[in-house]
């Protein structure tokens, strides 16, 4: 099983590279999102609308969403591997492919660069599809920064972190991570509605991403050296700025990206009409430009390939030590 899951992860990565998420077709994350919405409605009915009540409800949300997200894929995998090893690998390959998001991240952020060639408002609309901040106030540099920051952060959240979990426990742990990460993106806000209810989801997401975020930062530094970016500055900015974020994990890859590209990222941003003061990451050695979006894709894929080699290698080594190869 260790070998089968390693093969499925590699094949799933290849499928994602060439195909990405097909538009118009149902995706497992949509199902997880439906579960989150459904459980939230039910839990809010049963728990008191007090800070303590919402915190407890949020804990139950985490437990129930994870459990219900794993039932169907676990049953499908069990039946597939019972049928035959080949069928099991095929099914798990499809699951790994659906869990990874490298090609979709590349496509959606590339649309921002294409839209900016048309006009600034078009670029603002395009970047609003991949970021949570208010985009109508952004100038061209701000739009590019938002896209590059999203690529940097999601190199960990959308690619390396799922890989880590799939390397540890196959696609089933990949779905576990996807459930946690989707909960954080839907309810992990510090606003009036989710300050208490979403606290457990946000904290658990921070915990699950603690190691993957740091591994992603290290691998991105290596990718910067290998791909001819400013690896020395990437390492320097990583050491200096990796904690400059409200999240304990988000600035790790952003810091490397800023250092590798010799630009400054982050800074103040507007959310729901309110200005949030944030520290900058990196030094403005040169101005940010539209071409940096394409450069961020190269760093993303370089990091992803290094992660794939490392993680599947470790899984195959474990299989050898356990006599499965």
């Amino acid at each position: 099983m260790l070998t089968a899951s390693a093969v499925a992860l590699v094949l799933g990565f290849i499928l994602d590279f060439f195909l990405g998420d097909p538009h118009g077709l149902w995706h497992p994350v949509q199902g997880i999102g439906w579960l989150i919405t459904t459980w939230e409605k039910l839990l809010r009915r049963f728990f008191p609308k007090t800070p303590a009540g919402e915190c407890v409800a949020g804990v139950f949300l985490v437990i129930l969403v994870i459990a219900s997200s794993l039932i169907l894929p676990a049953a499908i995998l069990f039946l597939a591997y019972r049928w035959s090893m080949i069928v099991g690998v095929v099914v798990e390959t499809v699951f790994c492919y659906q869990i990874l998001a490298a090609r979709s991240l590349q496509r959606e952020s590339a649309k921002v660069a294409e839209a900016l060639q048309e006009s600034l408002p078009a670029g603002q609309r395009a970047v609003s599809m991949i970021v949570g901040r208010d985009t109508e106030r952004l100038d061209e540099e701000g739009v590019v920064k938002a896209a590059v920051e999203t690529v940097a952060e999601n190199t960990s959240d959308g690619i390396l972190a799922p890989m880590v979990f799939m390397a540890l426990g196959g696609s089933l742990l990949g779905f576990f991570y996807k459930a946690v990460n989707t909960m954080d993106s839907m309810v992990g806000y510090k606003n009036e509605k989710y300050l208490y209810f979403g606290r457990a989801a946000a904290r658990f997401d921070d915990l699950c991403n603690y190691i993957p975020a740091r591994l992603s930062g290290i691998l991105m530094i290596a990718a910067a050296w290998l791909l001819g970016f400013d690896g020395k500055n990437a390492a320097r900015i990583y050491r200096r700025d990796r904690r400059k974020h409200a999240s304990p994990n988000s600035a790790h890859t952003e810091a490397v990206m800023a250092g590798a590209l010799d630009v400054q990222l982050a800074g103040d941003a507007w959310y729901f009409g309110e200005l949030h003061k944030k520290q900058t990451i990196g030094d403005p050695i040169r101005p940010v430009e539209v071409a940096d979006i394409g450069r961020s894709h190269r760093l993303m894929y370089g990091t992803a390939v290094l992660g794939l080699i490392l993680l599947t290698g470790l899984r195959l080594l474990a299989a050898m030590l356990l006599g499965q190869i």
Side-chain angles (χ1 to χ4, degrees):
M1 291 298 295
L2 286 171
T3 306
S5 293
V7 171
L9 176 55
V10 173
L11 294 177
F13 181 86
I14 293 171
L15 278 180
D16 178 73
F17 179 82
F18 285 105
L19 302 179
D21 291 331
H23 292 289
L25 295 181
W26 183 84
H27 193 280
V29 174
Q30 291 175 268
I32 294 172
W34 178 84
L35 287 171
I36 293 168
T37 301
T38 301
W39 283 121
E40 178 183 352
K41 290 178 181 176
L42 290 172
L43 289 167
R44 285 189 183 277
R45 290 178 188 173
F46 287 100
F47 285 88
K49 293 177 174 57
T50 62
E54 291 197 353
C55 282
V56 174
V59 172
F60 275 95
L61 178 75
V62 172
I63 295 169
L64 291 169
V65 168
I66 291 173
S68 54
S69 296
L70 296 182
I71 291 173
L72 184 59
I76 293 172
L77 277 175
F78 175 77
L79 293 173
Y81 277 111
R82 279 287 299 270
W83 190 352
S84 77
M85 182 62 70
I86 292 176
V87 173
V89 170
V90 170
V91 170
E92 190 150 24
T93 294
V94 173
F95 283 170
C96 292
Y97 155 59
Q98 292 175 319
I99 290 166
L100 294 170
R103 177 56 69 189
S104 294
L105 178 60
Q106 185 268 329
R107 283 176 178 171
E108 295 305 312
S109 53
K111 289 178 183 178
V112 177
E114 294 168 5
L116 281 172
Q117 304 301 320
E118 177 186 333
S119 67
L120 176 58
Q124 292 170 334
R125 287 192 297 272
V127 81
S128 71
M129 305 304 292
I130 60 173
V131 300
R133 72 191 68 177
D134 300 343
T135 60
E136 65 275 3
R137 301 172 185 266
L138 298 176
D139 57 12
E140 181 174 301
E141 181 177 287
V143 170
V144 174
K145 280 185 177 182
V148 171
E149 289 163 18
T150 297
V151 173
E153 183 175 352
N154 283 282
T155 297
S156 177
D157 288 0
I159 307 170
L160 257 296
M163 277 188 191
V164 168
F165 279 85
M166 287 189 284
L168 289 171
S171 60
L172 204 58
L173 267 192
F175 279 115
F176 168 91
Y177 172 78
K178 214 64 179 175
V180 173
N181 192 240
T182 306
M183 268 189 289
D184 180 61
S185 67
M186 290 180 65
V187 306
Y189 296 101
K190 293 182 178 179
N191 55 24
E192 184 178 351
K193 183 178 181 180
Y194 290 117
L195 179 62
Y196 300 106
F197 185 84
R199 182 171 294 177
R203 296 283 172 83
F204 195 48
D205 181 75
D206 287 342
L207 177 64
C208 289
N209 278 293
Y210 188 86
I211 292 175
R214 285 146 184 81
L215 177 61
S216 298
I218 293 168
L219 290 175
M220 190 176 283
I221 292 172
W225 282 103
L226 292 171
L227 294 173
F229 291 100
D230 195 341
K232 182 178 180 180
N233 195 46
R236 181 180 69 86
I237 298 299
Y238 176 72
R239 290 192 298 270
R240 190 190 75 186
D241 292 351
R242 68 185 184 275
R243 297 186 181 90
K244 287 186 175 182
H245 201 285
S247 163
N249 303 317
S250 295
H252 287 261
T253 46
E254 282 190 44
V256 179
M257 184 73 75
L261 298 182
D262 292 329
V263 298
Q264 189 173 79
L265 299 175
D268 298 347
W270 289 83
Y271 293 89
F272 305 106
E274 182 180 346
L275 178 63
H276 289 247
K277 306 295 288 185
K278 295 185 176 183
Q279 298 184 77
T280 57
I281 295 174
D283 296 326
I285 297 173
R286 64 171 182 81
V288 174
E289 57 187 14
V290 176
D292 286 322
I293 296 176
R295 295 179 184 120
S296 73
H297 296 157
R298 290 176 58 202
L299 272 172
M300 174 194 73
Y301 269 115
T303 306
V305 170
L306 290 177
L308 184 68
I309 293 170
L310 173 65
L311 294 168
T312 54
L314 290 173
R315 192 166 177 89
L316 290 173
L317 177 61
M320 290 176 63
L321 294 174
L322 293 171
Q324 294 187 11
I325 296 180

